[in-house]
Amino acid sequence: MELIGRGREADVYALDGSRVLRRYREAGPTEREARLMAHLAARGYPVPEVYEATGTDMVLERLTGPTMTEALARRPWRVGSLGRELGRLHDRLHALPAPEWLPRRFASAGHDRVLHLDLHPGNVMLTPRGPVVIDWRNAAAGDPAADLATTIVTVGSAELSGPAVRLGRGLLVRALCRGSRTDPAGRIREAAEAKLADPHLRPAEAAWLRRRAGRAPEGR
């Protein structure tokens, strides 16, 4: 099989022209992830089609097109429109009530909604049929503000080089917030604290998150 993608938790292999294999390096809840993707697809939310899910493996529809991250690198002047699109993808998702079997995180005062909890530009594919959201492993039910806050701290903590790229990150976050009707401010600190549990964080990312969570720097 040809390796065509490698993330922090999983590798993606081409099976043929229409299917890929996503294989987690550690045991993961692929059956629940696949069930949620089928649930969302039935309600019109843009996700890849799932053909099979067993153990650490999922066979998925092969998507064509760049990720939103790749599109921003090639055409940085699109940061405003793509950031607003990312905000609208959040709102479309949060319009859907969470199924009873989805684990709860960041509980809301009202009805819990489906949260992706990793909905950043690297997990949005810009395909001929429109943007498609991938990688639903962290999904849960809860407060939409926490989902938007998680995206903000994920983008904010990412290691980037060069002042122009860092400026683009700030523009992206502002456009994201303009594109969504949700106010994430009350959940930023909590989202940063939750993100610190990620075992794949790099030292600079963890340091940024500790500051946003209000923690003292390590070693003190």
Side-chain angles (χ1 to χ4, degrees):
M1 294 183 295
E2 178 191 2
L3 179 66
I4 60 173
R6 185 174 178 84
R8 294 191 182 189
E9 297 180 314
D11 300 315
V12 179
Y13 299 89
L15 295 179
D16 53 39
S18 61
R19 300 176 306 149
V20 296
L21 170 66
R22 180 181 178 86
R23 173 167 288 166
Y24 288 107
R25 298 185 201 100
E26 300 175 7
T30 54
E31 290 83 2
R32 188 176 67 211
E33 184 177 356
R35 185 181 181 186
L36 177 61
M37 292 168 71
H39 174 87
L40 295 173
R43 286 152 182 81
Y45 196 79
V47 297
E49 184 175 355
V50 182
Y51 301 113
E52 184 181 351
T54 54
T56 59
D57 292 355
M58 280 198 300
V59 178
L60 303 166
E61 171 190 4
R62 185 171 184 174
L63 302 172
T64 58
T67 65
M68 191 177 280
T69 298
E70 291 166 341
L72 284 166
R74 296 172 191 168
R75 297 178 175 87
W77 57 88
R78 296 186 62 196
V79 65
S81 63
L82 290 176
R84 290 189 295 275
E85 181 64 49
L86 188 60
R88 289 190 291 269
L89 285 168
H90 272 276
D91 282 3
R92 287 178 62 186
L93 179 62
H94 302 151
L96 302 175
E100 290 298 321
W101 44 263
L102 197 61
R104 262 58 187 170
R105 289 186 66 193
F106 301 106
S108 64
H111 297 292
D112 287 339
R113 300 287 158 162
V114 178
L115 312 182
H116 185 283
L117 295 177
D118 206 18
L119 185 41
H120 57 74
N123 280 334
V124 180
M125 299 282 293
L126 302 179
T127 75
R129 73 170 191 255
V132 177
V133 179
I134 62 174
D135 191 0
W136 291 86
R137 179 169 183 167
N138 296 327
D143 180 6
D147 209 3
L148 205 67
T150 299
T151 296
I152 290 170
V153 300
T154 299
V155 171
S157 63
E159 285 189 287
L160 301 174
S161 59
V165 176
R166 290 193 291 271
L167 172 63
R169 169 167 57 191
L171 294 172
L172 177 70
V173 169
R174 287 194 286 276
L176 163 69
C177 292
R178 286 196 299 271
S180 172
R181 295 185 298 271
T182 299
D183 181 3
R187 292 286 194 173
I188 293 289
R189 191 166 184 165
E190 187 179 2
E193 187 70 44
K195 186 74 176 172
L196 280 165
D198 183 349
H200 304 287
L201 288 176
R202 299 182 177 94
E205 294 171 333
W208 188 96
L209 289 163
R210 281 193 294 273
R211 290 194 296 272
R212 292 309 297 262
R215 288 195 196 181
E218 281 195 340
R220 291 190 181 181

